[in-house]
Each structure stands twice: as structure tokens, then as C-alpha cells.
């Protein structure tokens, strides 16, 4: 049996979804849900809560789909919604505590970590970080936001963002050193 794609491109799919076509909405959800769950999971330790946040993010996405102007990546637009929903969830749960200690310039070099580490192991290490450290670390290192953008998103100062990143990196480096992972396989 030959499968014929229902929609030729994502732009057409999005336009149909904006018009309320349920099949187009289902296809958009199915196409993006696995990646978006991964995004939510980076911020939220519990998979069930991450799934709930992802679903809320998709509801918000579908409610505001007409505001997508086809400028830039649709996936990036959806990803930003998921990040905001994750942060909002964590704020409501009051899991986030920021430490305003002074930022130090001698940041540990986290890039020394071997790239072949098990993804689940890395996620467990990141999950073990205090929530404030974790959010800044993920926004900066994974999502690529600048400290100024993170500060605005989280309603903190830029120096607090830098401090949180420094402390997150330091804590991760200490965890990796305790497990004798840093330096392994490097020259």
C-alpha cells in the first residue's frame, strides 16, 4: 500500500489547522509532540508533569496559532511556548529558588565532559540541580538564550542568571568528578 501525504508542506498544514481542521491539528501534534515533551522534560523532572505541561502548551499553541506569522521556524515558535509553559508551571509550584550570590569569573569548563555520556545519565545529573540552577543552565546551554534574555524571562537580574549558571556548572562538574567521568577519554 502506498501512503500519500495528506499535506504537501508544513505551511499548508498550519493554515488548515488555523482553519480548525482537526486532522491537520492532529498531524501537527503528532509531528511535534515527541520533541516538545523532551523540551518540557528538560525543565520538569517528573515525566507525568512534563506531559501535562506539554499538553497545556499545545492547547495554548492551537489557541494562538493564527499569531504565527510564518517568519522563522514553526518548531522554534512551538518550542518557545513549551519553555514558557514549563517555567510557568515551575513558578506555580514554587520550586524555583534563586541564589543572588556574586558571580565569579573563574567558571569551570563544562565542555571537558565527554560527549558520549549516556543522555539519561546527563539528564539525571541536570535533574539533581536545584531548580533555579537547572532552569538557567538549560535556557543558556541547551536553548542558547543570552543572560539578558534569561533575566527577562525569569524576572531576575542578569548577574543572578550568570551566578546560577556558574553554580550549576560547578555542581555538575563536581558530580562528574565524583563519578570519575571528567577527563575520561580526553587527551
Amino acid at each position: 500500500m502506498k501512503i500519500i501525504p495528506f499535506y504537501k508542506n508544513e505551511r499548508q498544514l498550519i493554515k488548515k489547522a488555523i482553519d480548525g481542521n482537526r486532522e491537520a491539528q492532529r498531524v501537527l501534534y503528532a509531528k511535534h509532540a515527541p520533541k516538545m515533551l523532551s523540551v518540557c522534560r528538560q525543565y520538569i523532572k517528573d515525566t507525568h508533569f512534563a506531559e501535562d505541561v506539554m499538553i497545556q502548551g499545545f492547547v495554548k499553541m492551537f489557541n494562538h496559532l493564527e499569531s504565527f506569522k510564518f517568519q522563522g521556524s514553526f518548531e522554534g515558535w512551538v518550542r518557545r511556548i513549551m519553555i514558557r509553559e514549563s517555567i510557568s508551571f515551575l513558578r506555580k509550584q514554587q520550586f524555583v529558588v534563586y541564589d543572588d550570590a556574586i558571580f565569579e569569573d573563574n567558571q569551570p569548563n563544562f565542555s571537558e565532559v565527554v560527549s558520549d555520556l549516556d543522555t539519561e545519565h546527563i539528564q539525571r545529573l541536570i535533574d539533581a540541580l536545584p531548580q533555579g540552577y537547572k532552569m538557567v543552565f538549560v535556557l543558556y546551554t541547551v536553548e542558547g538564550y543570552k543572560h539578558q534574555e534569561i533575566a527577562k524571562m525569569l524576572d531576575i537580574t542578569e548577574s543572578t542568571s550568570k551566578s546560577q549558571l556558574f553554580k550549576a556548572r560547578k555542581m555538575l562538574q563536581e558530580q562528574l568528578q565524583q563519578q570519575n567521568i571528567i577527563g575520561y577519554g580526553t587527551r
Side-chain angles (χ1 to χ4, degrees), residues 45-59:
K45 186 176 182 174
D46 186 290
T47 305
H48 294 97
F49 286 134
E51 287 173 351
D52 290 345
V53 169
M54 179 198 68
I55 290 168
Q56 289 174 322
F58 272 106
V59 167

Side-chain angles (χ1 to χ4, degrees), residues 162-178:
K162 291 177 181 179
S163 174
Q164 297 296 295
L165 178 63
F166 168 77
K167 291 176 181 182
R169 285 178 168 167
K170 186 175 180 180
M171 188 176 278
L172 286 170
Q173 189 174 43
E174 288 169 0
Q175 289 175 329
L176 292 169
Q177 284 174 339
Q178 287 174 356

Side-chain angles (χ1 to χ4, degrees), residues 64-76:
H64 299 285
L65 198 53
E66 70 282 347
S67 69
F68 179 67
K69 302 297 180 202
F70 299 95
Q71 298 170 343
S73 158
F74 179 71
E75 182 178 314

